[in-house]
Amino acid sequence: MCLAWVGFVDRERGTIQPHTWRGDASGYVDGLVITVHDGDTARGPTGTALRTGVTQVNQDFLTNPKAAPWRAEAMKRGYRSSISLPLKDGDRTFAVLTLYASEPDAFDDDEVTLLSKLAADLAYAALASRTRNAA
């Protein structure tokens, strides 16, 4: 993976805002515009994962029309595919984990299963931390 980031909804702006990231961001994360309600910038993998609560796989930035708003910037950095995994509290998605790979078709069924388990563990840890800090 080239890059991983977690984003939360900024309800005032109606966007998903990156909270933390690791990897070769090269300014990519700072320039992301992902909306949550409608339009091209809401229909990509991350926005769709947040709205639907279902993992979204983008197997190739070059051919996926839903990835078009981010294609040029992704290609500049060598990102070819991505996966967006909802972080959930029951049925409510409270954040999204998005990962990028340098090759197309990087996310096969086994990888998706493994990363889905990772996302569930990350969501559990985030919620446990929030609960502990609130006490």
Side-chain angles (χ1 to χ4, degrees):
M1 301 301 144
C2 306
L3 171 65
W5 65 274
V6 174
F8 293 90
V9 176
D10 179 330
R11 299 211 185 279
E12 287 182 22
R13 294 181 186 168
T15 60
I16 299 173
Q17 294 296 308
H19 176 69
T20 189
W21 56 88
R22 288 289 178 259
D24 182 17
S26 304
Y28 181 79
V29 174
D30 296 328
L32 279 174
V33 176
I34 302 172
T35 56
V36 294
H37 299 297
D38 198 17
D40 291 343
T41 58
R43 294 187 195 113
T46 302
T48 302
L50 180 88
R51 280 191 320 283
T52 65
V54 176
T55 296
Q56 301 295 308
V57 179
N58 164 32
Q59 292 291 15
D60 196 343
F61 273 98
L62 282 177
T63 59
N64 183 351
K66 292 182 179 183
W70 308 278
R71 180 176 295 133
E73 293 302 316
M75 297 309 294
K76 279 186 205 175
R77 292 161 176 85
Y79 309 154
R80 284 295 301 271
S81 56
S82 65
I83 184 170
S84 297
L85 303 122
L87 302 183
K88 300 172 86 171
D89 178 8
D91 290 335
R92 181 182 70 91
T93 301
F94 66 89
V96 179
L97 168 64
T98 300
L99 302 127
Y100 299 80
S102 59
E103 63 276 347
D105 302 311
F107 303 99
D108 63 21
D109 290 342
D110 290 337
E111 188 84 5
V112 171
T113 298
L114 177 68
L115 291 171
S116 296
K117 290 177 183 176
L118 169 74
D121 290 346
L122 182 60
Y124 178 81
L127 293 169
S129 176
R130 184 182 306 165
T131 301
R132 186 177 62 241
N133 290 336

